[in-house]
């Protein structure tokens, strides 16, 4: 199996890391970049497939050269064999469609270099910064591959060239579907995805791979290929900001919720105050 | 032969070729590449070197290559022919914009589930009706709301779309479309949306509807559900345009833009008319962005598309007397569109329903100092209560916290409370470490009593809670749990551990 997982570096939104200016706007320069948390699930799906069926697991990202740290992070979690970074000033500030066109072209160059199509392209659902959920599907459309989204479990049948997946459907009620598709395909993995390793041999293989990768991750640059827009034969007018249909016109801090209740303020040391709070809660006490 | 191209990557090959000046040697390498790996970029590199040294490249094999490469991607060769371009770059195939296009109407994709329009479909129809009534007044126009319904046996749902505000409802039904499938649904939507003589249309025999006198829709709206959001991305991609996802406010206005990517020239301003303003909460609920999808001087980006968070707008009153045009669309389905197939499906029972409990204990980013312990403390309080459930703010879901052990299973979107999660109204709501952004407020504001615990004395939640414990949840939660279990409050235990109160 030839697999590529798409990943993105995003600002670290966890407590303490994220930095805002006085107007409440995100300060990107001050906020460290980490691998998009949702991509972890895509990487897990790729790793599960690699352990069960063998093959090459590559990671591809579009971003500034500093993203090498993100690729290293991805390498450690998927035990990736190869890293691909599409990196060029001309690609910067792309929206989802311009990103999808660039990633599609990167995957086609990957195909040319390898002499074969990736069997499976994995992507995570929504990035922590853009939060659109569009890039994976649009990349599939640009590639002309079948698309499976919101996937929570995955079985691959390499000999038959087919996959079977369970996916989540939303609406007025929640549904779960079993979907089959031919390969190659793009699989967008849901945060609910959990890999399963039922066989002991698979669990052992995973351990071996981990050790092997830890060595590689010491020098991720040795396994990285960087392509710019010329390598990919992309016209700067059609990628990055210039190729993007959408722009962000304004960013406003979210208005404060209007005040409708009058809070009684207490501190933990204030026995009387805490007693009042407890009296509100005590009627609901119980449990096992 | 000077070298075997199969032994090199394209980049290496380019370097090697610099050393070769003999056109016949380069010709041999080109033949070897065609017979071997047949990489397009490799052939391009050899050909360009041939050009440099004055060699000749035969045109026949070029044409053959193009035909072989056209593959399953919809419009192939013709999309390469963009005016003013001397060579087709890899990206141009995806450019499917029309020139000087005519765009009209607001199109709403009405998602159905188990044979019914889902609520958000009705909500969007009501919003689209309001927006277009106002639009027609502001711009002295007569543009329509067009509903699109796809599925198996959906004629009644198209009729219903009229009652909820559509002027035209187009439906397509086929038993193979009982469940949503990305490719056929996208193809059908785009086939209806494009003019019969659209340069990138899928076929020559599309019916020429008299209500559809334009190249592409002006605006599109989709539900921000799993399937609706996917469809929005694919339709807008196929139509070579853009969109904003997960919007909760929409309006149409003229706007002056100075962004050189859109005006074509730095330092100038251009007035864009009738622009769909798409507002969405983003950055994990900290900010609102307004997204615009705007034409460029040399490439038109229409329709302007949005997906809409369910529950953002009111479900309008149905008017069964409303008149409109209902159209059954005709299109032959291609077997190749069914490379994915739904083989079985089931309604998910259970899941996590946070409503209907006496108490909801909700945790926010205040747990960040020790996320695993924070969740444990919340669970302990839940356990000490008779009928309580654990909820989470969006911030916890989107943060890249590492949770250990069994705690991880509790951190899932299905426990999220707020605008894009569940709405709860229990008798008692305990919000620990939640700052109280408006998106969270709408998810719990109807609770009878709200107790907030926060170390920030100025947290927004203070303005909409009944009790505000100015303290650290890592101390206050165990204190409450213990008090419930012991039946009395031990304030003394906190004598040394309290936070600094400026």
């Amino acid at each position: 199996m030839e697999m590529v997982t798409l990943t993105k570096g995003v600002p670290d939104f966890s407590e303490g890391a994220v930095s805002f200016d006085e107007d409440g706007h995100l300060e990107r320069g001050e906020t460290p970049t980490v691998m998009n948390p949702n991509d972890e699930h895509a990487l897990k799906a790729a790793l599960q497939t690699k352990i069960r069926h063998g093959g090459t697991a590559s990671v591809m990202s579009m971003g500034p050269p500093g993203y090498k740290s993100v690729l290293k992070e991805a390498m450690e979690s998927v035990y990736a064999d190869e890293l691909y970074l599409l990196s060029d000033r001309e690609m910067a500030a792309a929206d989802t469609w311009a990103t999808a066109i660039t990633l599609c072209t990167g995957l086609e160059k990957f195909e040319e270099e390898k002499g074969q199509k990736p069997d499976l392209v994995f992507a995570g659902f929504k990035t922590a910064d853009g939060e659109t959920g569009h890039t994976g599907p649009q990349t599939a459309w640009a590639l002309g591959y079948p698309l499976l989204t919101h996937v929570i479990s995955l079985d691959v049948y390499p000999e038959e060239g087919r996959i079977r997946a369970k996916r989540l459907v939303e609406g007025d009620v929640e549904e779960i579907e079993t979907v089959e598709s031919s390969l190659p395909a793009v699989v967008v993995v849901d945060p609910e995805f959990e890999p399963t390793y039922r066989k002991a041999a698979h669990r052992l293989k995973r351990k071996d791979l981990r050790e092997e990768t830890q060595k590689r991750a010491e020098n991720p640059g040795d396994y990285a290929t960087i392509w710019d827009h010329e390598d990919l034969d992309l016209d700067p007018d059609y990628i990055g900001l210039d190729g993007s249909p959408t722009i962000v016109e304004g960013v406003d801090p979210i208005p404060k919720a209007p005040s409708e209740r009058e809070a009684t303020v207490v501190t933990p040391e204030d026995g009387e105050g805490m007693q009042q709070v407890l009296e509100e809660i005590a009627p609901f006490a119980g449990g096992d | 032969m000077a070298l075997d191209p199969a032994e090199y990557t394209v980049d290496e090959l380019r370097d090697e070729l610099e050393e070769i000046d003999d056109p016949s040697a380069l010709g041999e390498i080109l033949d070897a590449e065609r017979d071997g790996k047949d990489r397009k970029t490799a052939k391009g590199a050899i050909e360009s070197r041939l050009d440099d040294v004055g060699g000749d490249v035969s045109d026949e094999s070029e044409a053959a290559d193009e035909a072989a490469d056209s593959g399953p991607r919809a419009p192939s060769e013709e999309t390469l022919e963009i005016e003013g371009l001397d060579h087709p770059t890899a990206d141009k195939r995806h450019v499917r914009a029309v020139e000087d296009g005519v765009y009209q109407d607001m199109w709403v994709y009405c998602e159905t589930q188990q044979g019914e329009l889902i609520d958000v479909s009705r909500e969007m129809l009501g919003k689209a009706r309001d927006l277009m009534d106002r639009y027609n007044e502001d711009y002295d126009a007569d543009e329509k709301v067009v509903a699109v319904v796809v599925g198996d046996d959906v004629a009644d749902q198209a009729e219903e779309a009229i009652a909820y505000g559509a002027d035209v409802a187009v439906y397509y039904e086929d038993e193979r479309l009982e469940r949503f499938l990305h490719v056929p649904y996208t193809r059908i939507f785009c086939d209806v949306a494009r003019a019969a003589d659209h340069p990138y249309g899928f076929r020559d025999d599309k019916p020429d509807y008299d209500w559809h006198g334009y190249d592409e829709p002006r605006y599109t709206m989709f539900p921000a559900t799993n399937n609706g959001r996917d469809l929005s991305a694919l339709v807008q991609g196929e139509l070579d345009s853009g969109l904003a996802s997960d919007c909760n406010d929409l309006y149409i206005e003229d706007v002056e833009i100075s962004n050189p990517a859109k005006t074509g020239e730095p330092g100038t301003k251009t007035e864009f008319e009738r622009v769909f303003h798409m507002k969405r909460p983003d950055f994990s609920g900290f900010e609102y962005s307004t997204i615009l999808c705007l034409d460029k001087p040399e490439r038109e980006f229409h329709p302007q598309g949005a997906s809409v968070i369910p529950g953002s707008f009111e479900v309008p009153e149905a008017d069964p007397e409303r008149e409109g045009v209902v159209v059954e669309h005709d299109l032959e389905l291609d077997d190749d569109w069914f490379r994915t197939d739904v083989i079985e499906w089931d309604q998910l029972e259970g899941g996590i329903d946070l409503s209907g409990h006496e108490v909801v204990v909700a945790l926010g980013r205040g747990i960040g100092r020790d996320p695993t312990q924070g969740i444990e403390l919340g669970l302990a309080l839940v356990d000490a209560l008779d009928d309580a459930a654990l909820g989470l703010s969006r911030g916890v879901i989107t943060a890249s916290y590492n949770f250990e052990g069994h705690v991880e299973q509790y951190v899932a979107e299905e426990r999220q409370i707020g605008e894009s999660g569940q709405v709860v109204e229990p008798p008692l709501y305990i919000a620990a470490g939640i700052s109280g952004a408006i998106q969270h407020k709408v998810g719990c504001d109807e609770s009878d009593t709200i107790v907030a615990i926060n170390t920030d004395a100025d947290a927004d939640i203070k303005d909409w809670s009944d009790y505000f414990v100015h303290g650290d949840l890592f101390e206050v939660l165990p204190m409450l749990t213990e008090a419930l279990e012991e039946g009395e409050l031990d304030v003394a235990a906190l004598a040394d551990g309290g936070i600094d109160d400026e």
Side-chain angles (χ1 to χ4, degrees), chain A residues 157-172:
Chain A
Y157 307 96
E159 302 77 26
E160 298 163 43
R162 295 192 70 74
I163 53 174
R164 178 183 286 203
K166 283 193 173 18
R167 67 183 293 265
L168 295 175
V169 177
E170 292 173 329
D172 289 348

Side-chain angles (χ1 to χ4, degrees), chain A residues 12-15 20 24-26 28 37 97 101 104-105 108-109 112-113 125-126 128-132 134 137-138 141-144 146-150 164 167-182 192 227 231-235 237-238 241-269 271 274-278 280-282 284-288, chain B residues 9-10 39-41 73 87 89-95 113-114 118-119 179 182 186 225-227 229-230 233-234 237-238 240-243 245-246 257 259 261-262 279-280 282-294 296 299 301 339-348 358-359 365 383-386 394 400 412 428 438-439 441 445 447-448 450 460 462-470 476 479 483-484 489 491 494 498-499 501:
Chain A
D12 183 355
F13 284 115
S14 55
E15 193 75 18
F20 293 93
H25 293 316
L26 179 79
R28 279 210 180 235
W97 184 226
I101 289 173
C104 165
T105 312
E108 286 170 345
K109 179 154 174 82
E112 281 167 23
E113 298 280 324
F125 172 59
K126 286 193 177 179
D129 54 353
E131 295 198 294
T132 66
H134 295 157
Q138 291 189 324
W141 192 257
L143 282 165
L147 168 67
L148 292 82
T149 57
H150 301 282
R164 178 183 286 203
R167 67 183 293 265
L168 295 175
V169 177
E170 292 173 329
D172 289 348
V173 293
E174 301 234 314
E175 296 167 341
I176 191 161
E177 279 181 343
T178 307
V179 185
E180 279 195 355
S181 173
S182 59
E192 302 288 317
W227 287 327
D231 296 326
L232 296 174
D233 190 25
L234 289 166
D235 183 327
D237 283 347
Y238 291 83
L241 179 62
D242 284 339
S244 295
T246 61
I247 57 168
V248 179
E249 171 56 7
V251 180
D252 310 305
I254 283 170
K256 271 187 126 181
S259 169
E260 281 149 26
R261 298 181 195 236
E262 191 73 50
T264 305
V265 180
V266 305
T267 62
E269 299 80 11
M274 287 303 290
Q275 190 62 43
Q276 251 183 299
V277 172
L278 188 63
E280 292 288 343
I281 303 174
F284 303 104
D288 313 317
Chain B
T9 67
V10 179
R39 295 164 295 188
K40 202 165 26 161
T41 47
R73 188 175 299 111
H87 79 295
T89 51
D91 43 9
K92 300 296 191 296
R93 299 170 318 217
H94 307 292
V95 175
Q113 202 176 26
Q114 301 179 16
I118 58 175
D119 283 345
R179 305 293 300 173
H182 292 92
T186 304
T225 55
N226 284 358
N227 287 339
R229 194 188 296 101
D230 284 356
L234 301 186
E238 171 59 30
D240 190 26
S241 190
L243 74 165
S245 80
D246 300 82
I257 295 292
N259 189 328
K262 293 300 180 188
K279 291 193 85 165
R280 60 192 303 263
D282 67 6
F283 289 131
S284 309
F286 295 120
E287 298 171 317
Y288 264 120
S289 293
T290 304
I291 310 291
L292 309 178
C293 176
L294 299 172
K296 292 186 61 165
R299 185 173 170 197
F301 290 121
R339 281 187 276 165
T340 53
D341 192 20
V342 178
I343 54 176
E344 58 181 36
W345 63 275
D346 220 338
Q347 188 168 327
L348 261 187
E358 288 181 344
V359 187
R365 283 173 181 251
D383 285 344
L385 295 162
D386 184 38
R394 181 171 174 74
S400 37
L428 175 63
I438 196 161
Q439 286 90 342
K441 182 175 186 261
D445 201 29
S447 308
D448 294 344
I450 298 177
D460 288 351
K462 193 168 130 186
D463 294 336
W464 54 270
S465 52
D466 299 293
Y467 291 90
F468 182 80
V469 182
H470 178 214
V476 177
M479 188 174 165
L484 292 171
L489 195 64
V491 177
L494 269 169
I499 58 158
D501 201 344

Side-chain angles (χ1 to χ4, degrees), chain A residues 26-32:
Chain A
L26 179 79
E27 291 187 302
R28 279 210 180 235
E30 300 297 313
T31 307

